[in-house]
Amino acid sequence: MGTTTTQAYGESWYWDNRYANESGPFDWYQKYQSLAPLINLYVPRHPNQHHRILVVGCGNSAFSEGMADDGYDDVVSIDISSVVIQAMQDKYSDRPHLKYLQMDVRDMSAFQTDSFDAVVDKGTLDSLLCGSNSRQNAAEMLDEVWRVLKDKGVYILITYGAPLYRLHLLRESCLWTIKLHVIEKLACEDKSDPPIWELTNPVPLNDDGSSAEELLGNNLMCIIFTFVQRIIL
């Protein structure tokens, strides 16, 4: 993938063009079924407890549908591309609890402060970090994620970024309590070998993330799954 292409990752026109020529759903990094145990752990489903969940940079992924099928009844999905949002609204017109809105994750002013219990990000922060003005765009996004989360809300970040770099970025932005999880890359999901590390067990994490890299060694090609929790001030 060329530098010019990745620099456009923060631009709506790039995604409009891409989705206009892309048929069928595509899930970045992981499908919902693979991540469900971790989602269930940090956003537990209870009959008398309502969770409002925001999926950022949803694209044409079936991830939100998977959450709804798993019992989450208030899932809001946003994307910068009006093309893909229109397609998803049409696709799920018979499922009103699946809401799709065109929105830039760097400016979610349409949402009130403290309005979501969880924010799920599967590759959106990574995408912004590939583009132009990456640090500014990432900081704006993280500020908005923090703002829309309720106290004790969780930001679930699925990323290919090394712990060292993602930890530095997250600690620069807001006061997070951070836990790190890992999972095999999607291409490895049919392997019969046991996982390198159990998904629902946090990886020991020191200040700079080097403990995780030492533990996993050359297997850091596996996807890094970072769970982030807001602190009450």
Side-chain angles (χ1 to χ4, degrees), residues 26-38:
F26 176 78
D27 268 287
W28 292 85
Y29 298 176
Q30 295 287 325
K31 297 179 180 179
Y32 178 73
Q33 290 78 6
S34 301
L35 296 176
L38 202 56

Side-chain angles (χ1 to χ4, degrees), residues 152-163:
K152 293 188 178 180
V154 296
Y155 171 40
I156 299 173
L157 169 66
I158 301 97
T159 174
Y160 277 164

Side-chain angles (χ1 to χ4, degrees), residues 131-212:
S132 302
N133 302 316
S134 58
R135 297 296 295 220
Q136 178 183 342
N137 288 332
E140 290 174 358
M141 171 185 168
L142 290 170
D143 284 347
E144 279 291 87
V145 167
W146 173 276
R147 183 185 66 79
V148 302
L149 274 175
K150 297 178 182 178
D151 286 332
K152 293 188 178 180
V154 296
Y155 171 40
I156 299 173
L157 169 66
I158 301 97
T159 174
Y160 277 164
L164 173 67
Y165 300 111
R166 292 298 177 266
L167 282 170
H168 180 71
L169 184 65
L170 289 161
R171 286 173 173 152
E172 266 189 348
S173 62
C174 303
L175 294 174
W176 304 100
T177 297
I178 300 173
K179 294 183 182 179
L180 186 79
H181 297 260
V182 293
I183 189 172
E184 300 278 357
K185 282 188 177 181
L186 189 60
C188 304
E189 66 179 0
D190 295 328
K191 282 176 54 178
S192 58
D193 298 336
I196 296 162
W197 191 270
E198 177 60 40
L199 173 61
T200 54
N201 292 337
V203 175
L205 191 61
N206 59 4
D207 286 345
D208 64 3
S210 60
S211 59

